[in-house]
Amino acid sequence: MSGCSLTDRPAPLVITKVVKPVLPPECRKETPALSPKPDRDMSQQEIFDNWSEDRTARNIGEARRAACVTAVDAAN
């Protein structure tokens, strides 16, 4: 004899609720512009290490932020 019940159990109750995402207003603000290039010559290493990397990261981050806001707005 098995320890399992042979009686039919009702199917579990499943509730589906659609929740629309809400972004805080801060997310809709564009990332601030970067400071201008220094008015002096920079070495190639200085440009690579400090300046271009920061600008690339800012631009990628801004593109991602804008895409996220667009996706949330399209879903709502």
Side-chain angles (χ1 to χ4, degrees), residues 18-47:
V18 177
V19 179
K20 292 185 178 184
V22 177
L23 294 177
E26 192 68 24
C27 291
R28 297 188 179 279
K29 292 181 182 176
E30 188 172 333
T31 306
L34 295 167
S35 58
K37 282 198 254 184
D39 55 354
R40 61 177 174 77
D41 288 339
M42 293 188 292
S43 69
Q44 184 175 3
Q45 191 64 42
E46 185 180 16
I47 291 170

Side-chain angles (χ1 to χ4, degrees), residues 3-75:
C4 296
S5 173
L6 298 177
T7 61
D8 290 332
R9 293 187 181 172
L13 178 63
V14 177
I15 299 173
T16 303
K17 184 177 180 182
V18 177
V19 179
K20 292 185 178 184
V22 177
L23 294 177
E26 192 68 24
C27 291
R28 297 188 179 279
K29 292 181 182 176
E30 188 172 333
T31 306
L34 295 167
S35 58
K37 282 198 254 184
D39 55 354
R40 61 177 174 77
D41 288 339
M42 293 188 292
S43 69
Q44 184 175 3
Q45 191 64 42
E46 185 180 16
I47 291 170
F48 182 75
D49 289 344
N50 302 324
W51 192 77
S52 62
E53 186 176 313
D54 290 345
R55 283 172 155 51
T56 301
R58 183 267 179 199
N59 292 338
I60 291 170
E62 174 56 25
R64 289 177 178 170
R65 182 209 61 80
C68 290
V69 170
T70 301
V72 168
D73 288 347

